[in-house]
Amino acid sequence: MRIAGVDGCRAGWIAGIATLGSDAPPELSVFPHWPALAAALGSFAVVAVDMPIGLPERIDGSGRGPEQAVRPLLGARQSSVFSIPARAAVEAADYGEACRLAAAQSQPPRKVSQQGFHLFPRIRELDAWLRAHPQLADRVFETHPELAFRTLRGAPLLHPKKIRGAINPDGMAERRSLLLGAGLPVETLLARPPRGAGADDQLDALAALVVARHIAAGRGRPFPDPPGRDSHGLPVAIWSFRAARDATEETPMPALPLNRSEIDRAAELIAGHVRVTPVMRPGAGSFGLDRSVSLKLECLQHAGSFKTRGAFYNLLSRTVPQAGVAAASGGNHGAAVAYAAGRRGVKATIFVPEIASPAKIEAIRRFGAEVRIGGAQYAEAQAACDAFVAETGALKIHPFGELATVTGQGTLAREWQAQEPELDTVLVAAGGGGLVSGIAAWFAGTPVKVVAVEPEGSRALHAALAAGRAVDVPVASVAADSLGARNVGDLVHAICREAVERVVLVEDAAITRAQRLLWRDCRLAVEPGGAAALAALVDGAYVPAPDERVGVLVCGANVDLAALVALAG
């Protein structure tokens, strides 16, 4: 079945059309009239359109109920939501008559803007088609692109799409980034718009397509809820989607130290500081697999890994003393703390073990932090960091044993679910477990299974779940610089014992093979820890059911390029 996102444009209507279950990029076309668009779609599941549906006979307040419900969510972008007048005014062909009828049928009396009046022919065209096809009316949903973008970002947008009628490049870039994060192909986002449509119209149609995809998956969210009906039975609501299970649903939830509402708050706080990273579907045949998998490319995050989320949440939610912050890290956490501290103007001291890769140490220094070698393994670096904190009063940012860190990492799962609402299982690499516990806390109580992946030679989480408590393990793995924690600690164990479906182990040879495949098939330069989750699929450590929809987290890109070249060769 087909779905579409539609927006009005100079030449009529621009539509982004996709087929449910297909990895093919959406088709972009312009149609002069709505009936032509409907004929081209044929049988369809959902159409989301940026155009008012459902016209009341009278308006009380600042517009229809949907406009009044949506505006407070948009911050400075509230003005993008037009006040649609009563039906009689929309049906008037003369501007003066439309203003007279709008004022007569609204309280307080309101006239019609010139910009709104220019929309009336398309509103009438859509309204007439829906009334002539009542059997299809419940498959066509009014949406608003700024609400869709706000939902994707988790907060109001930073930049307007236009300034004084001219395209704002920063606003367009912000919206393209969000659509890329939602899984739309970069070639589609950068394509020249079809004749008769503008680049902004194209992005709005693609935002509507994202909403249509979520509605088709049962994740639609109407404003107001439930929708009203006009005198012709047409729905009166603006639709977006839920990135999360609604708080009123009574799905049993395990008792965890972290819940979704806390992750929601973290996402709001770090929005604008971290990137919305994209998802990719390379297609069946990639990596030698007989199925298509969804890759979440967190390797494209600031500082090269997911760790930036937790670093920013620590800095933004906790009091930072004059001595600054300190962290112990195999590299990625240190780079993330250094990056976040640099952006916030905070002093950072990072303790690294001798096994840390030169590429990661260079990144930490490049971001402006002081680097100290703290022993042969991660545990020794952590001990040196603890001594420094006790001496100086610096704020310690633990890579996985601090609730703020785990909460920040959980925002990745919130974002991922908004991009890929139909996944059954996600595969996530585990070292200290801060990432997988944050993700598991988000998905707890939902049908999505979280499977942790660890190297054979670095299995702290596997050992903890087997022992029923956090225990020390020896560490010897090609991925030890990022997945080399000796003990996951009590916080990670408490979350994962309740919310992680299981842990699978992969050999180092499978990890390096996954690295090569990510480079060969996707040209992704990924470190061993970043490739570990894919390794579980390519070596058979995790075997999905035939119809299971699997997501794989590619979590780190801080790889020594010389080592990768040698590996790929």
Side-chain angles (χ1 to χ4, degrees):
M1 292 286 282
R2 306 181 94 187
I3 60 173
V6 183
D7 188 32
C9 63
R10 295 189 309 275
W13 305 89
I14 178 171
I17 301 172
T19 301
L20 290 173
S22 171
D23 293 331
E27 307 166 15
L28 287 162
S29 301
V30 166
F31 301 90
H33 301 290
W34 186 272
L37 188 162
L41 276 176
S43 178
F44 64 88
V46 172
V47 172
V49 55
D50 177 20
M51 198 62 63
I53 296 173
L55 302 173
E57 302 302 318
R58 182 172 179 82
I59 300 293
D60 292 312
S62 58
R64 301 179 306 159
E67 285 108 35
Q68 296 184 50
V70 164
R71 284 195 190 100
L73 302 174
L74 300 185
R77 305 298 304 132
Q78 293 189 32
S79 61
S80 67
V81 183
F82 296 124
S83 293
I84 304 303
R87 175 178 289 278
V90 173
E91 291 175 345
D94 175 75
Y95 178 65
E97 180 68 2
C99 287
R100 185 186 68 78
L101 291 169
Q105 298 179 26
S106 61
Q107 183 59 44
R110 300 176 66 91
K111 294 185 178 181
V112 175
S113 70
Q114 287 280 1
Q115 189 173 8
F117 181 72
H118 288 310
L119 293 177
F120 288 3
R122 291 193 186 91
I123 297 174
R124 292 195 295 264
E125 184 178 72
L126 177 57
D127 180 74
W129 187 88
L130 290 170
R131 286 190 284 139
H133 300 82
Q135 74 280 12
L136 299 176
D138 284 339
R139 300 185 198 177
V140 181
F141 299 81
E142 177 185 347
T143 189
H144 192 285
E146 293 301 290
L147 178 61
F149 287 123
R150 191 256 184 241
T151 307
L152 287 171
R153 186 171 181 266
L157 299 188
L158 297 174
H159 306 285
K161 186 171 58 177
K162 291 184 176 180
I163 298 176
R164 296 177 183 173
I167 291 291
N168 176 22
D170 291 338
M172 296 292 282
E174 183 179 22
R175 287 156 179 79
R176 284 194 184 98
S177 175
L178 292 168
L179 292 173
L180 182 66
L184 291 176
V186 65
E187 58 270 22
T188 300
L189 297 174
L190 297 178
R192 180 183 294 240
R195 184 180 295 275
D200 56 329
D201 302 324
Q202 180 164 294
L203 291 189
D204 287 351
L206 292 172
L209 180 62
V210 171
V211 175
R213 185 181 68 187
H214 283 279
I215 293 172
R219 303 188 66 82
R221 182 182 183 186
F223 294 85
D225 189 3
R229 295 276 174 175
D230 72 3
S231 60
H232 294 273
L234 298 181
V236 183
I238 295 176
W239 287 75
S240 185
F241 58 89
R242 293 181 176 87
R245 177 184 51 79
D246 188 82
T248 61
E249 296 177 19
E250 296 184 358
T251 305
M253 295 281 287
L256 299 176
L258 173 62
N259 60 46
R260 280 183 167 228
S261 63
E262 292 163 335
I263 295 173
D264 281 328
R265 286 194 293 271
E268 293 277 354
L269 194 59
I270 68 174
H273 298 281
V274 301
R275 288 175 178 149
V276 176
T277 56
V279 294
M280 171 191 285
R281 285 187 171 271
S286 298
F287 318 125
L289 301 173
D290 61 357
R291 64 174 59 238
S292 175
V293 298
S294 169
L295 302 181
K296 173 65 169 166
L297 302 183
E298 191 67 8
C299 52
L300 302 181
Q301 187 55 261
H302 291 302
S305 83
F306 68 92
K307 300 275 191 178
T308 303
R309 296 173 183 270
F312 267 114
Y313 189 54
N314 271 280
L315 286 167
L316 293 168
S317 64
R318 303 171 68 192
T319 301
V320 179
Q322 188 173 0
V325 297
S329 169
N332 284 342
H333 179 63
V337 171
Y339 174 82
R343 299 292 289 183
R344 300 293 297 167
V346 172
K347 178 184 176 183
T349 306
I350 309 298
F351 293 79
V352 301
E354 294 171 4
I355 62 170
S357 78
K360 295 180 180 180
I361 292 176
E362 188 277 329
I364 295 170
R365 289 194 171 114
R366 187 174 73 252
F367 293 137
E370 179 185 352
V371 176
R372 299 191 185 186
I373 306 299
Q377 298 285 341
Y378 169 76
E380 287 83 2
Q382 185 63 65
C385 178
D386 290 345
F388 175 81
V389 168
E391 179 183 349
T392 65
L395 174 68
K396 180 173 75 173
I397 301 182
H398 198 281
F400 54 85
E402 165 60 48
L403 186 59
T405 302
V406 175
T407 306
Q409 319 308 25
T411 65
L412 190 159
R414 180 183 187 269
E415 180 179 294
W416 197 0
Q417 189 175 41
Q419 296 165 327
E420 291 279 26
E422 300 178 26
L423 293 178
D424 299 309
T425 304
V426 294
L427 301 181
V428 182
L435 173 63
V436 73
S437 55
I439 288 174
W442 177 262
F443 284 119
T446 78
V448 179
K449 296 187 301 182
V450 177
V451 176
V453 181
E454 287 187 298
E456 288 272 6
S458 182
R459 53 171 74 187
L461 181 58
H462 185 275
L465 296 182
R469 59 186 176 86
V471 294
D472 287 344
V473 298
V475 174
S477 170
V478 68
D481 67 337
S482 57
L483 305 182
R486 189 176 296 173
N487 187 311
V488 297
D490 294 337
L491 173 63
V492 168
H493 176 254
I495 295 173
C496 291
R497 72 185 176 194
E498 300 290 346
V500 166
E501 200 265 345
R502 60 173 144 146
V503 181
V504 298
L505 303 175
V506 292
E507 297 180 350
D508 280 357
I511 293 173
T512 55
R513 181 181 172 217
Q515 275 186 283
R516 287 195 299 270
L517 291 172
L518 283 164
W519 176 252
R520 184 195 74 182
D521 293 354
C522 300
R523 283 300 186 256
L524 290 172
V526 173
E527 64 188 275
L534 180 63
L537 282 181
V538 300
D539 86 335
Y542 183 79
V543 179
D547 59 349
E548 189 173 347
R549 295 162 294 193
V550 179
V552 174
L553 181 57
V554 184
C555 58
N558 291 316
V559 61
D560 185 322
L561 293 179
L564 182 64
V565 168
L567 185 67

